[in-house]
Amino acid sequence: MDDQHAKTVLDDLLSDVGTGSISSWNRSDNADDYEQVIGFLQLGGTVTAILLLSVSAIGMINIGLAGIEQRSHELLIRRALGATRASIAIQVIGSSVLLGLIIAFAAVLISAVLVWAIPWMMPADSPLEPPAYPYTAAMIAACASIVTSLVGSLAPAIKAIRLQPALALR
């Protein structure tokens, strides 16, 4: 609603009540002043999310490399028995992406239950509407989880495909 429309509506309400009309109009809730602040907070949230996902990917790389070190004998035997480098890479990347998919599904399920439970926690006479589930945000978060899993599994997959089958004979 623009200022002129709001002034007309308020003027009509005041004349209906019998208190007169508005002589001057000063709006004190100008949300336009806060757009820059809101944009800055959104940028800060986005940068923080990217940094957290980067740290998660680095942690996955570290755990993945340690896992490849532990499973190197198993992977070498698979290679010696005829497994291709691609099948080894798919095994390493697939297990990481599958884990990311399971975690993303569990997180979306938990968040859906929490949003569903909010109306039960609100007072009965609350004037607020219960929030709708943010489907777009859930899909973005699930995709970010899967992409982070994929990126975090690339270095372990590269290490796994570089293992030499002759080392299995030791």
Side-chain angles (χ1 to χ4, degrees):
M1 162 183 319
D2 63 348
D3 288 346
Q4 185 60 34
H5 189 264
K7 181 180 178 188
T8 305
V9 169
L10 188 57
D11 207 18
D12 288 346
L13 284 172
L14 289 174
S15 65
D16 289 346
V17 178
T19 59
S21 66
I22 300 173
S23 60
S24 68
W25 174 260
N26 292 325
R27 186 172 176 168
S28 63
D29 65 336
N30 194 355
D32 297 335
D33 294 340
Y34 299 107
E35 281 187 37
Q36 186 177 8
V37 173
I38 291 170
F40 181 74
L41 290 174
Q42 287 175 334
L43 178 65
T46 302
V47 169
T48 302
I50 290 170
L51 289 174
L52 288 172
L53 287 173
S54 299
V55 168
S56 297
I58 291 169
M60 289 185 67
I61 289 170
N62 189 19
I63 291 170
L65 290 173
I68 294 299
E69 194 67 34
Q70 294 291 321
R71 297 173 50 197
S72 64
H73 193 70
E74 166 201 338
L75 295 172
L76 288 170
I77 291 174
R78 282 196 66 216
R79 285 276 294 149
L81 293 175
T84 63
R85 291 177 186 246
S87 68
I88 298 292
I90 289 171
Q91 176 186 357
V92 172
I93 292 172
S95 65
S96 180
V97 171
L98 182 64
L99 179 63
L101 190 62
I102 291 169
I103 296 299
F105 178 75
V108 168
L109 187 64
I110 290 169
S111 68
V113 167
L114 290 175
V115 169
W116 175 79
I118 288 174
W120 300 101
M121 294 183 263
M122 293 173 59
D125 59 344
S126 175
L128 300 175
E129 289 290 322
Y133 187 75
Y135 293 103
T136 305
M139 291 305 296
I140 290 171
C143 289
S145 171
I146 293 167
V147 168
T148 303
S149 298
L150 181 64
V151 169
S153 66
L154 291 178
I158 291 170
K159 182 177 180 180
I161 64 173
R162 288 188 177 170
L163 293 172
Q164 298 300 320
L167 295 176
L169 300 175
R170 287 186 190 184

